[in-house]
Amino acid sequence: MDQFKNYIYNILLEPSIKSELEYFVQEFDKNPTAYDFLVDNPQSVQENYKEGYIGLSQRYAKAQQMLKKKFPGNTHLIQFQHQLYELGTFYLHWQAFLPTIQMLGTPEQVQYWQDLSFNYQIRGAYSQTEAGHGSDVQGLQTTAVFENNSFIINTPSASAYKFWPGQLGIFATHTVLQARTTVNGKDIGIQTFVIPIREPKTLKALEGVDVGDIGPKLGFLRADNGYLGLKNVRIDRNNMLMRYTKVDENGQVTTSSKNAIKYGYGSMLNLRVSLVNVFSIFGLFTNNLAYYQVKPLLKTQSIENEAIMFRLLRSYVVQYAQIIANAQVKEIFMRFQQQLKANDKQANETLQLVHLYSSQMKSISGWEAVKTSREAIQIAPFGHLNASDLTIIYADNVPFVTYEGDNNVLMQQTAQYLLKQFGKVSGGNAQFTGMASYFNKYTQENNQKSQLQNQEEILERLSYSYCKKTMENFQNSLINGHSLQSSWNELNQCELIKASIIFGYTNIYKQMGAQIKSSGYNLELLKIHKLFGLFIILENRTTIVSFGIADFKQVEILAEIDQQFSNNNKLEFLEYLSNGVGMYRQRNFINIDWDKLNLQAKL
């Protein structure tokens, strides 16, 4: 068990802060009851979400003070403390606001804003999404116009208002903001700016700034999601992040890379990659809440109890699979960042990989988290009571499918990638590349059944066959005279998304296998990997048979999950998986010193 816990613990934590965070784990383990007063009462947060939000902020900032006192000089630890504590209200400050500056700013800009952030002299939000169009970057309506060595920022209509960003509603003093930018009459595309929005001490909105909390919502009651409108707000020229695109005092524009806008988009992928673990951790905690409520009942054998164990087992396995697979995606993202620093020409190709992997995994992990919390409410004897915490978690999970990219839209982007790949190969002189390169093994189908011992082959053939058929149907729609819009939306959209989902699950399986191989084989990890593959095959068994990958009898034999457990020890394995969640701590700290943090406003 310890080996498994340590493995998951290690792939979740930022290596440079691991030893410091372990110190707090040890402190908690010595006397866990001493920290009970640190945990929020979910019901009180429901009743007064603003007070709940502020209390959470106080505890999060207090944790920062404790870390800074114990480990002076380790600013990296402060930026990544959310990996141990509850996400809290400064999560976006550290994981969206500051990383955007670190990726898109010049060294001088990074140093300037970093110093202010680490000292809590400013608190930042990430404002991209607008009321009129969601997160479509190219559809942004907010404008930035260069004038007299500065930029004038406007949201010209109600639909251009920034809407939904966390920390924007109450607490943020600044935000990074994307806007369509014009310099000397020329559109230079979407650029990113650091915008002051509130006076740090009083938290009063600055002139020309209309900002506030959007109000109560389903879930995320402790997150101050906000709106932001700007009217002729003038900011210094240097508030535009200029690592790739520079504007001098005369309005001369220089671009260091033709992919500058793409690299700017890469900054937000940091958040998307990290959210996969967030969603999966939520799923694991949800499983535990349900499991420990129903555990006494599972000791009695019955068909109903077997069904409950089956559902819990699948959910645990999927959540762990996503965390392990995402470790590989994190490595790809780190490679992208290193390539950017080195001006490596391969950065653009790596960015596409990060985009596709993170889009698929964010979508699948979000859907899985919602499914897990919904089933947990149904499984647990007291699941529908707020006292169970499951209703609160479910409400928090529901938005996962929407924010940081609507899941269906993200999956359609994967479908676009697959269409390009199949279109390229259909000419006869090219091969599949990138994450679809394994398709090359199956282009010469001989209708032979797969070896059932080889899960990867079954999943790869399933993915290839389903994607191939879907792409052919799409092309046939065009050939038969349907418009591109009709072919994409009315006739094929559901199948395009389904093909992308199957492709995504197959990639999670493959990435998980690669991570296990690179980190040293472990029997329990291999068991989770095998069970994950079995669950995905089981859920797609009709499709597997229809494509001739296996017949019904083979799939029935394969689908016997029970054969993986001897002496009916599923309950024992569930206990093992539930114990693996114990490495996480969701604790926050109170008694903030407001004067030191320059947060003297009465909120």
Side-chain angles (χ1 to χ4, degrees), residues 332-350:
I332 298 172
F333 182 71
M334 290 173 61
R335 186 165 77 236
F336 165 65
Q337 292 179 307
Q338 292 165 358
Q339 289 171 343
L340 276 184
K341 291 179 180 179
N343 293 318
D344 191 326
K345 294 181 180 179
Q346 297 297 315
N348 198 37
E349 183 179 332
T350 307

Side-chain angles (χ1 to χ4, degrees), residues 3 7 11 324 328 512-522 525:
Q3 185 182 11
Y7 174 80
I11 66 174
I324 296 167
Q328 285 286 299
M512 181 185 182
Q515 176 64 19
I516 293 173
K517 182 179 179 180
S518 67
S519 60
Y521 292 101
N522 173 279
L525 291 176

Side-chain angles (χ1 to χ4, degrees), residues 376-387:
I377 289 175
Q378 297 167 359
I379 289 171
F382 310 106
H384 288 86
L385 293 176
N386 281 352

